[in-house]
């Protein structure tokens, strides 16, 4: 016999599953935005390397990014592209960074996706990944001295 509590529990699970899918889709769109840039756009990553690897891995698993020939991008290719665009040193083992992200304990630091979701809950129009991407400060040419 299905009770009213069981029906409510199933509804809550369905809503949570829908929320996770929405968060993943938004993160994939933001990562695609980052990867649509070129290295000469001088974007910089200001977050942790582990957060970047977690975002890339989520996009690799749930997104459908392809290269010029229509082939799905590998995780390694996404890492290489993102590190180039964001001027970050490419980790030797990005899979280890992802593993580290997935074993974080909530007491010290929650996962990137948990923090991403909290930001969207507070400000639905926010693009949380972009908080960690900034434009490099343009270097001004040295000014000529007025001295002779």
């Amino acid at each position: 016999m299905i009770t009213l509590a069981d029906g409510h529990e199933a509804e809550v699970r369905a809503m949570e599953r829908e929320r996770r899918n929405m968060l993943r889709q938004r993160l994939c769109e933001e990562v695609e935005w980052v990867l649509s840039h070129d290295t000469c756009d001088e974007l910089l990553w200001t977050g942790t390397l582990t957060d970047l690897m977690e975002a890339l891995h989520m996009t690799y698993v749930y997104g459908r990014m392809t290269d010029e020939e229509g082939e799905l991008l590998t995780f390694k290719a996404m890492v290489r592209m993102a590190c180039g665009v964001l001027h970050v040193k490419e980790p030797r083992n990005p899979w280890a960074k992802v593993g580290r992200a997935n074993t974080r304990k909530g007491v010290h630091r929650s996962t990137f996706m948990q923090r991403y979701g909290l930001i969207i809950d507070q400000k639905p129009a926010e693009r949380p990944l972009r908080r960690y991407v900034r434009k490099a400060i343009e270097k001004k040419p040295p000014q000529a001295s007025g001295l002779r």
Side-chain angles (χ1 to χ4, degrees):
M1 169 189 273
I2 297 176
T3 65
L4 186 59
D6 291 338
H8 178 70
E9 200 174 299
E11 186 178 311
V12 168
R13 281 194 307 269
M15 287 173 50
E16 183 57 31
R17 195 169 35 252
E18 185 177 317
R19 179 178 179 275
R20 278 193 312 266
N21 288 338
M22 180 271 300
L23 290 174
R24 289 173 185 149
Q25 179 180 353
R26 288 200 42 190
L27 178 63
C28 289
E29 289 169 2
E30 286 197 78
V31 169
E32 288 174 14
W33 173 81
V34 168
L35 297 181
S36 71
H37 287 81
D38 197 63
T39 57
C40 63
D41 290 335
E42 296 186 27
L43 297 180
L44 300 174
W45 178 256
T46 62
T48 67
L49 191 56
T50 301
D51 283 350
L52 178 59
M53 293 303 113
E54 183 179 355
L56 291 171
H57 186 259
M58 289 295 272
T59 303
Y60 168 69
V61 171
Y62 296 103
R64 292 289 173 243
M65 293 191 65
T66 58
D67 62 15
E68 311 81 43
E69 294 153 11
E71 293 289 330
L72 287 174
L73 286 178
T74 64
F75 177 57
K76 185 71 173 171
M78 290 174 69
V79 168
R80 187 172 297 117
M81 289 171 64
C83 289
V85 167
L86 297 170
H87 299 88
V88 174
K89 185 178 180 206
E90 187 178 333
R92 271 186 296 158
N93 186 353
W95 290 100
K97 293 278 186 193
V98 172
R100 190 171 306 124
N102 292 331
T103 59
R104 286 180 173 155
K105 302 297 181 207
V107 173
H108 299 291
R109 187 170 177 109
S110 53
T111 68
F112 180 76
M113 279 307 290
Q114 289 169 333
R115 289 179 278 132
Y116 187 87
L118 289 173
I119 292 168
I120 289 178
D121 289 345
Q122 293 169 359
K123 298 178 183 176
E126 182 81 20
R127 297 288 185 193
L129 186 76
R130 295 182 193 191
R131 288 182 173 192
Y132 301 103
V133 178
R134 68 176 174 85
K135 187 94 167 146
I137 298 173
E138 294 181 23
K139 296 179 183 174
K140 295 181 181 178
Q143 295 201 359
S145 172
L147 300 175
R148 293 182 194 223

